[in-house]
Every structure is written in structure tokens, then in C-alpha cells.
Amino acid sequence: MTLSAAPMVDLGPEHLGSAEFRQDYGVRYAYAAGSMFRGISSVKLVTRMARAGLLAFFGTGGLTPERLEEALVDLREDLGEAHPFGMNLLCNPGRPEREQATVSLFLRYGVKHIEAAALTRITPSLVRFRFSGAHYGGAGAMAPRQVIAKVSRLGIARELLAPPPAGLLTSLVAEGHLTPHEAEAARQLPVVSDLCAEADSGGHTDRRNPLVLLPDFLRLRDEAMSEYAYTKRVRVGSAGGLGTPEAVAAAFAAGADFVMTGSVNQCTPEAGTSDATKDLLSGLDSEDTAFAPSPELFELGAQVQVVRRGTLFAPRANRLYQLYRQHDSLDAIEERDARILQEDWFRASFDTVWQETRRHIAASRPRDLERAEKSPRHRMALVFGWWFARTTRAAVEGDTADGAEYQIHCGPAMGAFNRYVAGSPLENWRNRHTDVVAHTLMNGAAEILRERFAEMVQPATQRRSTIEMSERQA
């Protein structure tokens, strides 16, 4: 007797994840291309994704307000109101005025979606953006702006799932940043519409395991939904390590409402970085990353994940941090080490670097200059920071003179994607358009989940047929 085959599931990429996510963002897939700093997730990248009916976030980190406004003007001219797009908000408690100015630009240009990153606490600017335009409607309190917060720690995740602190809302109303009606609606809503569990990603990362972090966040979300009785479900997504269809399928199978990719989008024609960097990225394996000091949080000892293969950035950056920990000033560095730094690495004297750095700080953040003048150790960190800035700029611009020191933030997902597409047209990064990468990962994930579901259902179908045959024979 021939047993009937297991039923095939009608599961396409447009069915994965949360239907509400797709509806709220006006996109085809529960998928987003995350931001990459200094405009590496560029206007061109965001525009291409938007025109394909997909979501991407422009990378604002490290850009001047003038450059950011230029990007907003370009995006509005290219996309109008018809296509979805988002902007990155790097939370900056140390420079709240910069964060406030960024949010003011977003509101002026009608930005509806942001990806909030580098969160250590809830900031006034984040709350201001989220609840500008909040009101009561037929379904209760509503906020027209979407915030995806990309975090990896349970403490800040728990805070983001709660309504904003009452004192913060009172201050925002007093300062004229929210109306009393907006603040009242905010008291009934979570700080974020979406929470993204960021695991083993490029750049700043806590190296969390995605299959540990995501379930933790899902439980936190369920607890918050019960505690605060929200009428609209907070969605939880997954980011970090998503370089193959198998990884994307695993995220959705584990309960993710959406996925967010990062490193794989840096090696596309639309990414705002140099061809030299893309050539290097396209040759990576999943083991070709390392950890190095964070340029922004150097003195705190925070780390970023970067490309190891083909660049000396990681070992040199770690050596600079070691020297910073060992010495109280530039003058205290041993003569041999000081000579190597100035002649081979910086190709300039410490004094020359400091004078250039001093002029920049005096123009942009004079309060930090006062601290540097009083603290030789802080001045040393700023001089080392000059080198970090140069290595980033060299990678973005493809400067061959500094090619051996490219600083490229990247996770192992890049190498995994390279292996997956080896031997296909996508082996050449010039064919890896950002929307093509999205389609490749999402279609592949849907196919994998269809096959796995069929494999799980088949034994059950066989058992039922065996039981039915036994009953007939009896």
C-alpha cells in the first residue's frame, strides 16, 4: 500500500515573521537592513531597498548635522511618502545636545521609523521621537512613529518594554518637546514598538548567543504585555550572525517576529564604502574576525568586532589600548614604542597629532578640550583616537597608503554568506545588490522551513496510515 505524502506547506518569504510588522512598516518581508555608521548604509542602499518594498536604515553615526540633513533631503526627494525607509539614532548620553539635534531633524523631515542603537539608558530624545504625535483613538493610546531598539542586555530591554518614566515625560512637556496629550498617551505605551535582540554582530557587540538571547527577550516581552496590558503587541526580532538562509530560518523558528541583517550589506554595490574594502570582505571566512578597542568608548575598555584578515588594525588597536593602560601620559611611553608609533603607525609626531586633534575638539566640543588640558592620560587617549579615525576613513575611502590598517566593523555572518554563495553569481560582490541579498536569505529560509516542516509531518502521516490499516485488518 502506498502511503500518502505529507502535505506541502504554502510558506513563502512573505509569510515569515510578523504580519503586523510588514503592515506597520509597509514592507514585503519581516526583514530589515540595519544601519552602518558614517553612511555606509547609504542613501543609495536605503533607496534601493525601499523601492523593492523592503526596509533599511541610514547610518547616521559619525556624520555632521549638515551631512545628515543632506541625506534626509536626498531620501525625501528620491522616495517621497510612497516608500518606507528608516534612520539610525545613536543614543549619546555624553552629548545629549547632538542626539536632540538629530531627533529635531528627523521630526522636521517627517521620519516615521528609527533604529535606536548604543542604548545604555532611556534618553529624552528617544522618548521625544517615539511619542511625537501620540494620541488616543478607537483602539486606545497610539503612537504613529516606530522605534526598533537594537540591544543585547536584559536590563535595558526591560526598561524599553515599559512605559517611559513619568519624570521624563513631565520634563519633556515642560520643555515643549511633547504636548500634555502626547505625554498622557505615552503613559499607556512601551518606549519601543519593536525590540531587536542583537547577538554576535559586527561593531559593538556583547557576543551573545542568539538562541539564548532571543528566547530571553521573548519572555520579557510576554511579561511586559501581561504587566502593562498593552493593546498592541511589542514585536521581538533577531540580529547578529544572520549570513545564511539556515541562520535566518533558525531565528524565525525560534520565534522572531522579524530579522535584521548587518555585515552582509556592507559588501554590496550600494554600501557607502570603498571597493578595496568590499574586495577584502568578499574574501572572508567566518573565522576572519577579531575584537579590538572601540574608538568611541576607548577609555572604558569596550570592544568592537572587526575584520582580522588582511589588515593590521586589530593587533595595533589592542597594542594602543595596552599602552594606554600601562602609562599615564604620552611622555611616559618607552622611547622604542614611542618611535614606532610616531614613525611607522602615525607617520607624524605626537605633538603634530595633538595640535590637529586640539583644533578639532575646540571647534566641536570645547568642554572635552578643558578635560584634556588637565589630564595627560585623557590627552593620550585623544591622540590615539586620531589614529582610529584615520583607519576608519582609510577603509571607507579606499586609501591605499593606509590599506594595511583598515578598520572594518564586521561579524562572522559575512564569511558565512561568502561560503553560501561560493560558485554562484553572488560570489562577485558587484552582483550582491542589497535587495538581492534580502531575497536570497528570505527565500532560502522559507524553503528550508518548508522542507523541515514536511520532514516532521511525514512520520505522523505514516503513523496514522499504519493505525488505519491495522484497524481495517482487525
Side-chain angles (χ1 to χ4, degrees):
M1 179 178 178
T2 302
L3 298 178
S4 60
M8 289 301 294
V9 180
D10 182 17
L11 183 68
E14 68 278 6
H15 300 128
L16 301 180
S18 166
E20 191 176 57
F21 180 96
R22 297 191 294 272
Q23 179 180 347
D24 283 355
Y25 288 96
V27 291
R28 297 171 59 190
Y29 301 156
Y31 175 104
S35 65
M36 293 176 283
F37 78 149
R38 291 186 180 274
I40 292 176
S41 51
S42 62
V43 167
K44 189 176 179 182
L45 186 154
V46 172
T47 299
R48 172 124 189 172
M49 287 286 282
R51 287 180 173 160
L54 300 169
L55 181 64
F57 292 91
F58 179 82
T60 64
L63 299 183
T64 63
E66 294 76 19
R67 175 67 186 89
L68 175 54
E69 186 163 14
E70 288 174 9
L72 283 165
V73 169
D74 290 342
L75 287 166
R76 275 293 169 223
E77 289 180 351
D78 291 345
L79 300 174
E81 298 290 339
H83 300 285
F85 75 92
M87 303 293 288
N88 168 242
L89 176 66
L90 273 179
C91 295
N92 192 345
R95 297 186 67 189
E97 69 284 352
R98 173 62 65 88
E99 190 181 332
Q100 191 72 270
T102 299
V103 166
S104 294
L105 275 175
F106 290 169
L107 295 175
R108 188 191 316 163
Y109 283 91
V111 173
K112 295 291 179 66
H113 315 307
I114 66 167
E115 173 215 278
L119 283 159
T120 56
R121 62 178 177 84
I122 296 171
T123 65
S125 299
L126 177 65
V127 174
R128 176 191 175 199
F129 176 87
R130 164 73 165 145
F131 296 109
S132 290
H135 61 280
Y136 280 96
M142 293 183 288
R145 303 181 192 280
Q146 311 295 325
V147 173
I148 298 180
K150 197 164 63 175
V151 295
S152 55
R153 302 202 175 190
L154 298 180
I156 184 63
R158 190 176 287 109
E159 292 180 29
L160 292 166
L161 288 165
L168 180 52
L169 289 174
T170 300
S171 297
L172 288 169
V173 171
E175 294 163 4
H177 293 310
L178 290 179
T179 69
H181 293 296
E182 288 169 337
E184 186 58 33
R187 291 185 174 91
Q188 311 303 317
L189 296 167
V191 173
V192 296
S193 55
D194 304 89
L195 190 65
C196 192
E198 185 177 28
D200 191 12
S201 61
H204 288 275
T205 176
D206 285 319
R207 313 185 213 183
R208 298 294 304 276
N209 183 316
L211 295 180
V212 174
L213 189 62
L214 179 60
D216 278 347
F217 276 30
L218 290 168
R219 291 189 184 92
L220 280 181
R221 185 271 313 279
D222 293 344
E223 291 168 5
M225 293 298 299
S226 176
E227 180 179 353
Y228 301 110
Y230 297 136
T231 57
K232 188 177 175 69
R233 182 171 171 270
V234 180
R235 295 167 297 243
V236 176
S238 180
L242 301 178
T244 61
E246 291 86 352
V248 173
F252 283 121
D257 291 311
F258 64 95
V259 294
M260 181 179 285
T261 55
S263 297
V264 293
N265 302 311
Q266 192 174 187
C267 192
T268 63
E270 294 77 32
T273 192
S274 66
D275 287 1
T277 289
K278 295 172 188 178
D279 287 338
L280 195 158
L281 287 168
S282 66
L284 296 185
D285 208 335
S286 55
E287 300 173 348
D288 292 332
T289 60
F291 289 90
S294 162
E296 297 83 9
L297 302 173
F298 180 83
E299 292 174 274
L300 298 178
Q303 292 190 314
V304 290
Q305 188 163 202
V306 297
V307 170
R308 174 181 58 83
R309 180 180 175 186
T311 170
L312 295 172
F313 171 76
R316 288 188 173 183
N318 283 307
R319 177 56 178 157
L320 286 177
Y321 185 67
Q322 185 182 45
L323 290 170
Y324 169 77
R325 291 291 303 273
Q326 291 173 342
H327 304 290
D328 293 328
S329 69
L330 291 167
D331 293 337
I333 297 175
E334 288 83 353
E335 181 181 352
R336 178 178 177 278
D337 289 329
R339 186 175 66 253
I340 290 173
L341 292 184
Q342 294 173 95
E343 293 180 1
D344 298 340
W345 296 17
F346 292 12
R347 298 192 293 280
S349 68
F350 289 153
D351 184 63
T352 298
V353 172
W354 169 239
Q355 293 306 321
E356 181 179 330
T357 303
R358 190 182 188 285
R359 286 191 296 271
H360 173 74
I361 295 173
S364 59
R365 50 185 200 276
R367 283 181 298 180
D368 204 22
L369 180 59
E370 182 181 349
R371 179 187 168 201
E373 300 285 14
K374 294 178 179 178
S375 169
R377 198 156 193 266
H378 181 54
R379 186 159 62 249
M380 174 171 54
L382 292 173
V383 167
F384 289 174
W386 174 92
W387 178 84
F388 278 87
R390 191 187 73 186
T391 59
T392 296
R393 188 167 56 250
V396 170
E397 297 175 358
D399 187 341
T400 55
D402 293 321
E405 295 178 330
Y406 283 178
Q407 179 185 174
I408 307 169
H409 292 189
C410 183
M414 184 73 259
F417 187 81
N418 288 337
R419 277 185 168 272
Y420 177 71
V421 300
S424 78
L426 296 186
E427 184 170 3
N428 185 334
W429 65 259
R430 290 169 177 81
N431 298 323
R432 298 182 189 182
H433 296 288
T434 318
D435 57 323
V436 174
V437 171
H439 294 315
T440 298
L441 293 175
M442 291 293 285
N443 277 284
E447 182 179 357
I448 288 166
L449 290 171
R450 283 196 304 271
E451 292 175 354
R452 296 294 183 268
F453 185 78
E455 290 171 359
M456 290 186 290
V457 171
Q458 181 69 37
T461 305
Q462 292 174 342
R463 285 195 298 272
R464 285 196 301 272
S465 299
T466 301
I467 293 170
E468 290 170 0
M469 186 165 55
S470 299
E471 288 176 346
R472 284 196 297 271
Q473 290 173 347

